[in-house]
Amino acid sequence: MAVDGKWNITIKTPMGDQNATLTLKEEGGALTGEMSGAAGTSPIENGKVEGDTLSWDAKVTNPMPITLSFTGKTEGSNISGSVKLGAFGTSTFSGAAV
């Protein structure tokens, strides 16, 4: 699974679609990088790759402090999955390699 690189993603949220750029690097099952968008830039935390599944957390502070917990998969040049929006439930994200 090719995960290294930049990905433009769209997160479905109760406040509408939120766009972000992920920069990801996988090494030995550990996933690192950062997510940047309108809410600023956050480091990827707790990132891991298990089989064909990716998971990571990103903390945002704008418009309110919240930890977004992602689980997803890549397929070719696409990435998609689910994201826990703290107290706001679970939604989806999708995107493509840059």
Side-chain angles (χ1 to χ4, degrees):
M1 169 176 48
V3 67
D4 290 6
K6 285 192 175 188
W7 303 84
N8 285 334
I9 65 168
T10 300
I11 305 164
K12 302 287 185 185
T13 78
M15 296 175 14
D17 290 356
Q18 302 295 314
N19 296 314
T21 300
L22 288 174
T23 303
L24 300 176
K25 179 163 180 55
E26 186 268 334
E27 188 171 342
L31 186 65
T32 59
E34 66 182 19
M35 182 177 84
S36 60
T41 299
S42 303
I44 298 299
E45 299 179 356
N46 308 313
K48 55 187 164 184
V49 177
E50 296 175 320
D52 64 350
T53 301
L54 315 169
S55 61
W56 70 92
D57 296 332
K59 293 179 180 171
V60 296
T61 57
N62 186 15
M64 68 187 75
I66 189 171
T67 298
L68 305 176
S69 297
F70 293 83
T71 302
K73 296 183 180 191
T74 61
E75 185 175 326
S77 62
N78 296 312
I79 189 169
S80 62
S82 64
V83 56
K84 292 180 185 172
L85 307 170
F88 298 100
T90 301
S91 191
T92 60
F93 76 95
S94 61
V98 176

